[in-house]
Amino acid sequence: MLSSQPLIKKFTKYSLVGVLCVAIYFLSMFIFVEQVNIEPVLASTISFIIMTLCSYILNKRYTFGGTYSHTQFVKFMIVASVGFVLNVGIMYTIVSIIALHYLIGELFTVLIIPAVNFLLNYYWTFNNK
């Protein structure tokens, strides 16, 4: 019988990296909008890119390990793009179609997207088999 302990350990590390990367995102947003006076949508895009690169580096070193691979980097970016599309889709559905408060949409994105991204990264991006 296979143990789920390695999966749980990796998910815990992945979650810690995620919390740090979200903090990097919000710090970047603050700096770009409040200090550099960049328009918020552009600042959000730049911050998302910075967060995603930090996430790749930290997850590669801390969560999944192994040597750098261009293929893994591309796969990671594809997974990040899937997460981004899910975010837009979930928010649009909850806010524009169902007409609920945006914080409910954020709740759903926080619960769904990290789990989906982790599973894709665990089984596809960083799967060394």
Side-chain angles (χ1 to χ4, degrees):
M1 184 170 182
L2 292 174
S3 170
S4 63
Q5 189 171 3
L7 183 65
I8 292 169
K9 184 177 180 181
K10 285 190 186 293
F11 184 73
T12 301
K13 287 181 174 184
Y14 188 84
S15 298
L16 291 172
V17 167
V19 168
L20 178 61
C21 288
V22 167
I24 289 169
Y25 173 83
F26 283 113
L27 178 62
S28 299
M29 277 293 293
F30 174 78
I31 291 169
F32 290 138
V33 173
E34 301 296 332
Q35 305 298 315
V36 185
N37 295 317
I38 294 176
E39 188 271 328
V41 173
L42 177 58
S44 176
T45 302
I46 295 167
S47 297
F48 179 82
I49 292 168
I50 291 169
M51 175 190 70
T52 302
L53 292 172
C54 289
S55 178
Y56 173 76
I57 291 166
L58 292 171
N59 277 304
K60 180 67 185 159
R61 290 181 182 223
Y62 176 68
T63 306
F64 297 105
T67 58
Y68 174 81
S69 162
H70 179 72
T71 302
Q72 284 181 344
F73 179 74
V74 170
K75 287 180 175 182
F76 190 88
M77 290 303 161
I78 290 169
V79 170
S81 297
V82 167
F84 180 76
V85 169
L86 279 173
N87 184 71
V88 171
I90 291 168
M91 289 299 289
Y92 178 79
T93 300
I94 290 176
V95 174
S96 299
I97 295 175
I98 302 174
L100 296 175
H101 194 273
Y102 79 92
L103 288 177
I104 294 171
E106 287 294 339
L107 177 65
F108 276 93
T109 64
V110 165
L111 294 173
I112 295 169
I113 295 169
V116 169
N117 282 1
F118 172 75
L119 292 171
L120 288 172
N121 281 318
Y122 182 78
Y123 288 109
W124 183 57
T125 304
F126 296 107
N127 186 349
N128 293 321
K129 294 178 184 175

